[in-house]
């Protein structure tokens, strides 16, 4: 599966490390990119690539919060609920999102489009409240902004409101 | 040595000793959970904190090595407070369900809690609760009780190299699992059960059956293989409750395999024979001991008068104690008057012993388990050691994993990681070859030694002709031929030869794949040549170690229950030995020849042998149909079987005498490395069963040649008078040194007789396309004669499943669980299959314990020198059903 | 606002600066690397760094050059550098900016470090959530490789330095240096017991240096402008150079402010971050990320350097400065941080694993008006029983929010408990949850 499809990429990843097992997280990330979660078949395949046992892959997966063992929605919305974001309104952002999506954290919408999670600090403490949707950060969120983002995502699969290279405060006269 | 004081006690300890160990040696017990002397310390439980002078924070004594002048305190207020607080943390989430916990009474947590008597818990929150998940039929987990010390996980990895346990999740929600929601699939060594300091991992076989203080214990030896592990059998009211072992105990040092840990129920299987049986009108019917023994004695006397003593033969299983074996041969030799004796050591062990005697004049290893652990280079030939000799396998794993020995393996199986360990995974060089070509690899290694100037200089001086002869022999072999036969390169062989020759200590382990396969004797001799040529022979810690399959294979040879030997073992025709033994027995020894297993069967078939005593052996159930053992035994006028169960062979008998299992008797076993170890009775005999020796002794009296003993100890005393020093000699074997006179004789002339044969790279039979080699082998979960009667082991494996390489399976269009037809000109069978990466293409592996059908397909050939019957492989066709 | 000369953020604050190799080179980038490679002996580079007084910006503040010096001199096998880009400490967001805005700066610092410690391989362990940062770094690595700044035979000097990006997958503890190494080895990120330290037994058990992004980014400037120059900035001798403070919470202009070490909290908050966002007065300051003890308004004049903050009872940590205004419940704030620590405890050691779970449940009870007065005693005790008894510094960090809020705002706890007692609901218990 992975090996058939990504042989060269896997070989290149393995070549970076003197010890095969080091490629664990890169390969798990690859597996998740492929299926949206880390399947049992993928864990077994990665075990054989890395020459470890499937339980050794499994225990690793369960340690890292970004790796999912079950399929999730197309858009994984992760709201930071740590103190710094909470000070600037992440709790109400979460309430807003729950109302808009009709689901609670840990749940996926029936159309399997959105999964909502709360996460710990994502290093956007100065630009909270914030959420990460799949690979992208969305910061300084307001209710209107969230609505636009959700609409964008549904329509285009992405939103122009996502953050670019980070700088804070933004230098006067510069945009980015 | 380092000097320090612990609690004011001056202590000297070797450099590197951990404070917790130094304290233990001084009798100071520092409480701990995660530390275990077998494992690399992890210092996660934080229980073992101590105060060290001039170090500001409390330190974990399990991870702190002693230092000169160190002053350690383990009982100050600060330390006690710390111990209490860690216990309080551990107990916070603990269910406190001691009354229903199997660990109750031997639980570290319980003990420490009593010691530190924490006041009622301040923890009033809701306890962490793990949803209960099924774990496995044999091992139960209660994760709410887990203290997360990871001893089980670390054991599974560090000691077993199995890595089947996964600490899943993080923080308080970490629980020990296998793989997602799958039930545990592993070697089932029981190590996790034993090493868990609390009741989080327990055995299902004994669940809720006992409290530790109710149990009676007996330290004895496991009978499932030749490793000779010490086990403690725990019983309650003559019921077998549990088996365990203690760290530091026995040659196994507290480790076991599934057979040892979970296989103990065989002894009390409901099918155990409870009474003697005598054939009346064609049926075996219950009889009294008096009737049965009287009948046997009478018939023997009659047959002896009619046909003479040479019409008798005897066969005994090497699972019997030395005492049984000894009395058996004495009975056969004196009461009957024949040397027609053989035992299951004939199936392979004898090949190793004969080669050792021939080359170095010993019948035992010149090395020990400790030497395996201390070796720098280990060469394993024809053994998936974990399956046949799991504990010797652990020594190999320890050598490689903890002491960085270089491992070289020659075997049919190939490296593949799974949750059953695979010794080839640890090899620096693995030579995966077809099972009939192990010899080619060895020839390649010897050729490389000769050609690359690796021949030991001292040997070249001592035996130039020998070196020359072997040199000539290997020069005559061509590299291309060897390369094509072995599928490897001369470069790899040369590299392996170099590693082995240059090693400070080299040990060769040879297994069933060689000892029980055609050419086994010659190949074992060649391995001794390899040791000689590389200078690894005769040096302390170096040598050849043939792996015994049955628990007392070695004893069977030494007690003289094989065709060629008297007790000692001494050659049957050695006049001095005969004289000495006759002197001690005060009786002449029979002059007739010895006869091996297959010869005896042949003689029974032709009517030369009329009566047989078969003790614990089951040739009908063990040999392939082609050996026609059933036909042979059916000809007998008298077949007496001493047995635990009504086996295929016993079913043919005229008299079946119920014998005790090892759990019901005293005596001794001699393990694969030659250590004589005590067997102790754990339960009262089942039904009317009696120890084998006692049955034979009673018969001897009825026959007028009384061979009587008060108990097993008395027999051992007599054995010792015959074989000086034979006995229970302490914790480890004292291996013999090679007899230099014998070595010299071998180097002078002994090697030459079969040199041409041994060094011929026979053209391996070309594999016909579409044909598979069927290998019938031992499995990790079944060995010996009783494992299929053990409920525990049957839970893990209860049918014959044919192992196939996934690529072969794909070509056949089958997958896991599908059934296939396996056939050849001799017969056919159908079996489900399992895909296993470790099985190479072209090979199909079937477990011998479920081989009733498979035995139809196997032929038999006999070793021309040692008469070992080879019957473990066949060429077959496999088709999808 | 008083103007200081920024060092690390100077480029990125220049209009039009994109962080590309061209831009970086135009701003003088990779000159330091050219200056040292093969020209200054590696040990002299280390000596220079020691002299500069540079201390780690990742949290512990260990002198960087001294740490390099711990690598065994006579060891000939491989050595490794790991750049700690796991930035996960709540309140900290400076590495993200350094990575995304000026990646070559840290790469040059890494190359210099590799040269100084004799490492031929370096890994950048970046937290998995930084997908954009990872992309930017990959691009920068490719540029640097193409230009011959990393790879084999760098700039024709015969020196080889390979650098690889390694993404984490969501675990705060992997910022702890030994957990980072475990994670990089493909395992669960459980911290190792020290000693042995990474300097001797690090990645794959080989000598290893772990340094933070910001620490590494300082190196080109120390080389270029000399250790004396660097040592003259900030509050020498112990806290030299600038520090990027990440200001968050109830201020007008949250952001990354690079200032010389030793300015006061007051200056940072009121002159740089624009002061409080509304008219409410300042109530509390966390001066060094979630692991640092809370300050009150009484601490406004504490100087933000390693010593002064430590003396005042907290730590400079990762540079995350969080401001809370009057009206913020300190019990609630401590609970929020406690939830973080409970969620992130790796579970290796008993006191941290069980302690964070116990603390968080008790805190939740108090916050939901079901507390009892004895709980405060228990909280204090539990914190004491965690302190100093764990494998890594996480344990000590986890208790800081509670011990410091209990110290300064005990009355807030007591008030909540009094309401509870008045309502008679103190006996209720709430199940442990882990969202
Ligand atoms: C729980 C914990 C989390 C940490 N997280 C980080 C982190 O995210 N980034 C970082 O650079 N250092 C972190 N550290 C500090 C590192 O262990 C280490 O001290 C640092 O990477 C060394 O680099 P420096 O000397 O350049 O600061 C953390 C430490 C602990 C105990
Ligand atoms: S202190 Fe906490 S985070 Fe650190 S090792 Fe121990 S359990 Fe893990
Ligand atoms: S025994 Fe030392 S920390 Fe567990």
């Amino acid at each position: 599966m992975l090996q058939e499809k990504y042989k060269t990429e896997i070989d290149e990843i393995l070549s970076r490390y003197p010890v095969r097992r080091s490629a664990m997280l890169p390969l798990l990330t690859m597996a998740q990119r492929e299926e949206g979660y880390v399947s049992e078949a993928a864990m077994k395949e990665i075990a054989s690539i890395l020459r470890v046992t499937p339980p050794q892959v499994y225990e690793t997966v369960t340690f890292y919060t970004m790796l999912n063992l079950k399929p999730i929605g197309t858009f994984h919305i992760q709201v930071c609920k740590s103190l710094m974001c909470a000070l600037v309104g992440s709790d109400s952002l979460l309430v807003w999102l729950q109302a808009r999506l009709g689901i609670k954290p840990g749940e996926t919408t029936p159309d399997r489009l959105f999964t909502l999670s709360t996460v710990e600090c994502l290093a956007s403490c100065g630009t909270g409240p914030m959420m990460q949707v799949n690979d992208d950060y969305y910061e300084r969120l307001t209710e209107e902004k969230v609505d636009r983002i959700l609409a964008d995502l549904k329509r285009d699969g992405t939103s122009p409101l996502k953050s670019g290279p980070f700088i804070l405060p933004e230098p006067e006269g510069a945009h980015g | 040595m380092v000097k320090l004081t612990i609690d004011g006690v001056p202590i000297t300890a070797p450099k590197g000793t951990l404070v917790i160990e130094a304290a233990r040696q001084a009798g100071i017990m520092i409480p701990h959970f995660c530390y275990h002397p077998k494992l690399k310390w992890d210092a996660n439980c934080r229980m073992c904190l101590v105060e060290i002078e001039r170090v500001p924070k409390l330190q974990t004594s399990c991870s702190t090595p002693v230092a000169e002048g160190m002053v350690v305190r383990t009982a100050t207020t600060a330390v006690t407070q710390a111990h209490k607080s860690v216990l309080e943390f551990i107990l916070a989430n603990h269910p406190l369900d001691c009354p229903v916990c199997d660990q109750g009474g031997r639980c570290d947590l319980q003990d420490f809690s009593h010691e530190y008597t924490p006041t009622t818990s301040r923890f009033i929150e809701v306890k962490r609760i793990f949803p209960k998940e099924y774990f496995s039929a044999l091992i139960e987990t209660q994760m709410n009780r887990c203290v997360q010390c990871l001893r089980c996980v670390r054991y599974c990895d560090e000691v077993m190299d199995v890595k089947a346990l996964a600490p899943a999740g993080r923080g308080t929600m970490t629980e020990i699992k296998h793989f997602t929601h799958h039930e545990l699939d592993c070697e089932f060594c029981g190590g996790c059960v034993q090493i868990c300091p609390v009741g989080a991992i327990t055995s299902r076989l004994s669940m809720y059956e006992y409290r530790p203080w109710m149990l009676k214990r007996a330290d004895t030896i496991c009978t499932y293989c030749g490793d000779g592990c010490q086990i403690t059998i725990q019983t309650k009211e003559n019921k077998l409750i549990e088996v365990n072992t203690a760290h530091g105990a026995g040659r196994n040092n507290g480790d076991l395999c599934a057979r040892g840990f979970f296989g103990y129920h065989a002894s009390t299987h409901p099918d155990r024979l409870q009474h003697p049986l005598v054939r009346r009108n064609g049926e075996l019917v219950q009889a009294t001991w008096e009737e049965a023994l009287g009948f046997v004695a009478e018939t023997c006397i009659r047959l002896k008068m009619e046909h003479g003593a040479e019409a008798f033969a005897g066969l005994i299983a090497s699972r019997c104690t030395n005492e049984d074996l000894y009395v058996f041969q004495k009975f056969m030799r004196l009461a009957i008057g024949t040397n027609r004796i053989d035992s299951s050591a004939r199936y392979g062990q004898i090949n190793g012993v004969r080669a050792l005697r021939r080359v170095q004049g010993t019948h035992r290893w010149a090395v020990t388990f400790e030497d395996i652990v201390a070796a720098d280079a280990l060469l394993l030939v024809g053994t998936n050691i974990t399956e046949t000799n799991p504990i010797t396998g652990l020594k190999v794993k320890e050598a490689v994993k903890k002491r960085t020995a270089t491992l070289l393996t020659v075997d049919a199986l190939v490296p593949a990681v799974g949750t059953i360990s695979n010794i080839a995974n640890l090899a620096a060089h693995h030579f995966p070859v077809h099972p009939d070509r192990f010899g080619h690899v060895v020839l390649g290694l010897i050729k490389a030694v000769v050609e690359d100037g690796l021949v030991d200089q001292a040997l070249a001086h001592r035996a130039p002709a020998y070196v020359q002869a072997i040199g000539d022999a290997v020069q005559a072999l061509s590299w291309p031929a060897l390369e094509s036969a072995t599928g490897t390169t001369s470069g790899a062989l040369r590299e392996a030869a170099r590693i082995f020759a240059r090693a400070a200590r080299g040990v060769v382990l040879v297994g069933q794949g060689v000892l029980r396969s055609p050419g086994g004797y010659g190949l074992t001799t060649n391995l001794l040549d390899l040791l000689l040529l590389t200078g690894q022979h005769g040096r302390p810690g170096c040598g050849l170690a043939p792996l015994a399959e049955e628990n007392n294979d070695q004893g069977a040879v030494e007690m003289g229950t094989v065709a060629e030997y008297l007790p000692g073992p001494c050659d049957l025709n050695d006049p001095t030995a005969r004289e000495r033994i006759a002197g001690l027995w005060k009786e002449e020894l029979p002059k007739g020849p010895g006869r091996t297993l297959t010869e005896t069967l042949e003689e029974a078939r032709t009517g030369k042998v009329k009566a047989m005593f078969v003790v614990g052996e089951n040739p009908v159930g063990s040999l392939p149909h082609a050996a026609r053992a059933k036909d042979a035994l059916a000809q007998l006028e008298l077949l007496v079987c001493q047995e635990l169960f009504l086996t295929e062979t016993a079913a043919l008998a005229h008299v079946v005498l119920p014998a005790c299992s090892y759990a019901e008797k005293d005596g001794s076993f001699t393990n694969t490395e030659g250590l004589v170890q005590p067997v102790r009775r754990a339960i009262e005999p089942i039904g009317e069963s009696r120890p084998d020796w006692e049955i034979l002794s009673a018969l001897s009296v009825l026959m007028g040649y009384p061979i009587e003993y008060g108990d097993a100890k008395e027999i051992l005393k007599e054995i010792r008078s015959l074989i000086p020093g034979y006995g229970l000699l302490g914790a480890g074997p004292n291996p013999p040194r090679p007899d230099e006179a014998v070595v010299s004789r071998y180097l002078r002339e002994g090697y030459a007789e079969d040199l041409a044969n041994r060094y011929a790279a026979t053209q391996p039979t070309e594999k016909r396309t579409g044909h598979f080699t069927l290998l019938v082998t031992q499995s990790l979960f079944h060995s010996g004669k009783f494992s299929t009667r053990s409920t525990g082991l049957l839970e893990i494996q209860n049918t014959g499943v044919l192992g196939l390489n996934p690529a072969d399976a794909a070509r056949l269009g089958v997958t896991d669980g599908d059934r296939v037809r396996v056939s050849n000109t001799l017969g056919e069978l159908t079996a489900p299959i399992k895909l296993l990466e470790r099985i190479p293409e072209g090979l199909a592996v079937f477990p011998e314990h479920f081989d009733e059908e498979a035995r139809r397909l196997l032929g038999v050939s006999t070793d021309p020198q040692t008469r070992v019957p080879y019957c473990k492989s066949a060429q077959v066709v496999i088709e999808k059903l | 606002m008083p103007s200081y000369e920024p060092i690390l953020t100077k480029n990125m604050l220049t209009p039009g600066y994109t962080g590309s190799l061209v831009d970086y080179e135009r701003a003088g980038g990779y000159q330091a690397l050219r200056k040292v490679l093969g020209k200054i002996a590696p040990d002299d580079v280390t000596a220079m760094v020691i002299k500069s007084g540079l201390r780690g910006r990742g949290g512990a503040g260990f002198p960087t050059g001294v740490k390099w010096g711990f690598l065994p001199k006579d060891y000939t096998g491989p050595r490794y550098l790991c750049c700690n880009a796991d930035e996960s400490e709540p309140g900290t967001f400076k590495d993200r900016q350094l990575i995304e805005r000026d990646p070559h700066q840290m790469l040059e610092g890494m190359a210099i470090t590799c040269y100084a410690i004799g490492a031929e391989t370096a890994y950048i362990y970046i937290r998995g959530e930084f997908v954009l940062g990872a992309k930017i770094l990959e691009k920068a690595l490719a540029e640097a490789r193409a230009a011959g700044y990393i790879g084999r035979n760098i700039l024709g000097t015969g020196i080889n330095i390979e650098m690889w990006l390694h993404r984490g997958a969501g675990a705060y503890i992997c910022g702890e240096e030994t957990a980072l190494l475990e994670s990089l080895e493909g395992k669960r990120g459980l911290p190792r017991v020290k000693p042995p330290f990474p300097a001797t037994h690090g990645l794959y058990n080989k000598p290893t240096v772990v340094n933070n992004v910001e620490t590494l980014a300082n190196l080109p400037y120390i080389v270029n402008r000399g250790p004396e120059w660097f040592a003259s900035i900030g509050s020498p001798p112990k806290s030299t150079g600038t520090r990027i403070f990440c200001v968050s919470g109830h201020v007008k202009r949250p952001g990354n402010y690079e200032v010389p070490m030793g300015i006061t909290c007051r200056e940072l908050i009121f002159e740089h971050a624009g002061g409080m966002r509304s008219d409410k007065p300042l109530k509390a300051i966390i001066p060094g990320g979630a692991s640092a003890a809370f300050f009150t308004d009484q601490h406004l004049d504490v100087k933000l350097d390693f010593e002064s903050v430590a003396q005042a009872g907290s730590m400079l940590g990762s540079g995350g400065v969080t401001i809370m205004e009057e009206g913020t419940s300190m019990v609630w704030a401590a609970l929020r941080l406690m939830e973080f620590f409970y969620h992130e405890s790796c579970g290796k050691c008993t006191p941290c694993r069980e302690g964070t779970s116990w603390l968080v449940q008790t805190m939740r009870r108090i916050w939901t008006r079901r507390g009892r007065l004895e709980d405060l005693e228990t909280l204090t005790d539990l914190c004491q029983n965690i302190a100093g008894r764990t494998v890594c510094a996480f344990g000590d960090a986890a208790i800081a929010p509670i011990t410091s809020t209990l110290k300064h705002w005990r009355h807030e706890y007591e008030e909540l408990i009094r309401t509870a007692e008045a309502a008679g609901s103190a006996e209720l218990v709430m199940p442990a949850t882990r969202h």
Side-chain angles (χ1 to χ4, degrees), chain C residues 173 190-191 344-350 352-353 390-396:
Chain C
I173 194 62
L190 305 187
E344 298 298 338
S345 166
C346 78
K348 178 164 177 156
C349 25
T350 309
C352 169
R353 178 184 69 238
T390 54
V391 168
C392 81
F394 183 105
D396 293 331

Side-chain angles (χ1 to χ4, degrees), chain C residues 56-60 67 84 86-88 172-173 175-177 210-212 215 393-394:
Chain C
R57 306 306 199 222
K67 174 146 86 182
N84 191 339
D86 193 54
E87 187 166 60
S88 312
Y172 164 72
I173 194 62
E176 196 280 341
E177 55 185 359
V210 182
N211 273 138
N212 169 259
T215 313
F394 183 105

Side-chain angles (χ1 to χ4, degrees), chain B residues 587-748:
Chain B
E587 191 84 45
E588 271 309 298
L589 300 187
K591 302 219 164 48
R595 279 291 181 264
T596 64
L597 169 68
T598 39
E599 289 166 332
T600 300
L601 289 176
E602 191 49 40
E603 290 186 345
R605 202 177 353 262
T606 59
K608 185 153 195 226
V609 163
K610 308 269 186 214
M612 275 185 80
F613 283 87
V614 177
V615 180
E617 235 333 293
N618 179 14
V620 181
S622 321
L623 287 167
H625 294 212
R628 296 171 57 207
K630 193 169 174 179
D631 300 348
L633 296 179
Q635 309 281 321
L636 294 171
E637 288 185 32
L638 177 67
L639 174 60
V640 182
C641 286
Q642 297 181 193
E643 255 304 353
L644 273 63
F645 298 99
L646 198 64
T647 61
E648 293 92 330
T649 303
L652 299 174
H654 300 94
V655 180
V656 182
L657 302 172
C660 285
S661 79
Y662 78 113
E664 299 136 60
K665 61 188 176 188
D666 292 313
S668 64
F669 292 146
T670 305
N671 83 341
T672 187
E673 34 160 17
L675 180 69
V676 184
Q677 307 191 91
V679 175
R680 296 192 185 91
R681 170 194 283 226
I683 49 172
E684 295 303 313
I686 300 294
E688 295 178 22
S689 66
R690 298 168 72 178
D692 287 302
W693 67 263
E694 214 180 286
I695 300 172
L696 294 161
S697 178
L699 265 177
S700 73
V701 173
L702 294 177
M703 289 181 64
Y705 292 88
I707 302 170
E708 290 184 281
Y709 305 93
D711 58 14
K713 275 209 193 77
E714 241 178 67
I715 308 173
L716 187 61
K717 222 165 104 193
E718 179 172 323
I719 297 172
R720 194 173 312 127
S721 70
L722 224 66
I723 312 172
Y726 213 89
L728 312 168
L729 287 179
N734 191 3
R737 311 275 309 129
D739 180 339
E740 281 311 314
V742 176
V743 177
S744 295
R745 193 172 341 115
Y746 176 77
L747 292 173
R748 211 167 47 242

Side-chain angles (χ1 to χ4, degrees), chain B residues 20 31-35 43-48 60-63:
Chain B
I20 197 169
H32 60 273
F33 294 105
C34 69
Y35 174 74
N44 65 50
C45 75
R46 318 306 288 172
M47 187 67 199
C48 67
T60 43
S61 57
C62 70
S63 65

Side-chain angles (χ1 to χ4, degrees), chain A:
Chain A
M1 299 150 289
L2 289 176
Q3 255 169 316
E4 280 156 29
K5 208 160 159 191
Y6 300 109
K7 174 104 185 52
T8 36
E9 193 178 341
I10 291 172
D11 287 347
E12 192 275 320
I13 290 172
L14 289 171
S15 77
R16 298 175 189 174
Y17 310 99
V19 174
R20 291 178 92 80
R21 188 171 176 166
S22 273
M24 180 80 80
L25 288 183
L27 295 190
L28 287 169
T29 306
M30 172 188 281
Q32 177 149 309
R33 187 182 71 199
E34 192 62 16
E35 298 183 81
Y37 74 108
V38 184
S39 65
E40 255 184 41
M43 285 192 273
K44 284 188 184 156
E45 189 184 359
I46 291 171
S48 93
I49 297 173
L50 300 181
R51 307 201 185 120
V52 298
T53 64
Q56 287 179 300
V57 178
Y58 172 62
E59 65 176 39
T60 312
V61 174
T62 62
F63 189 83
Y64 297 95
T65 49
M66 284 174 68
L67 299 172
N68 310 315
L69 282 163
K70 282 196 242 93
I72 53 159
T74 314
F75 301 107
H76 189 191
I77 300 182
Q78 304 168 72
V79 179
C80 172
K81 68 166 191 59
S82 291
L83 174 66
M84 292 72 189
C85 276
L87 287 174
V88 291
S90 61
D91 289 0
S92 32
L93 166 68
L94 196 59
V95 171
W96 186 256
L97 271 165
Q98 294 188 50
R100 273 287 177 269
L101 298 171
I103 50 172
K104 288 208 275 297
E107 296 177 348
T108 300
T109 53
D111 58 6
R112 307 213 57 83
L113 218 45
F114 295 102
T115 298
L116 182 64
S117 301
T118 55
V119 294
E120 296 294 351
C121 182
L122 290 176
S124 295
C125 319
T127 37
M130 68 82 65
M131 64 185 187
Q132 181 170 18
V133 182
N134 297 351
D135 287 353
D136 302 316
Y137 276 32
Y138 295 88
E139 297 168 273
R140 286 201 185 105
L141 295 175
T142 58
E143 289 164 3
E144 305 79 68
K145 219 166 151 183
V146 166
D147 289 350
R148 263 184 62 197
I149 295 165
L150 293 181
D152 288 348
L153 289 174
K154 275 193 189 157
R155 197 181 50 243
D156 309 327
T158 179
S159 165
L161 294 176
K162 68 186 179 199
S163 306
F166 175 73
I167 192 161
L168 192 75
E170 277 141 22
E172 277 144 55
H175 291 279

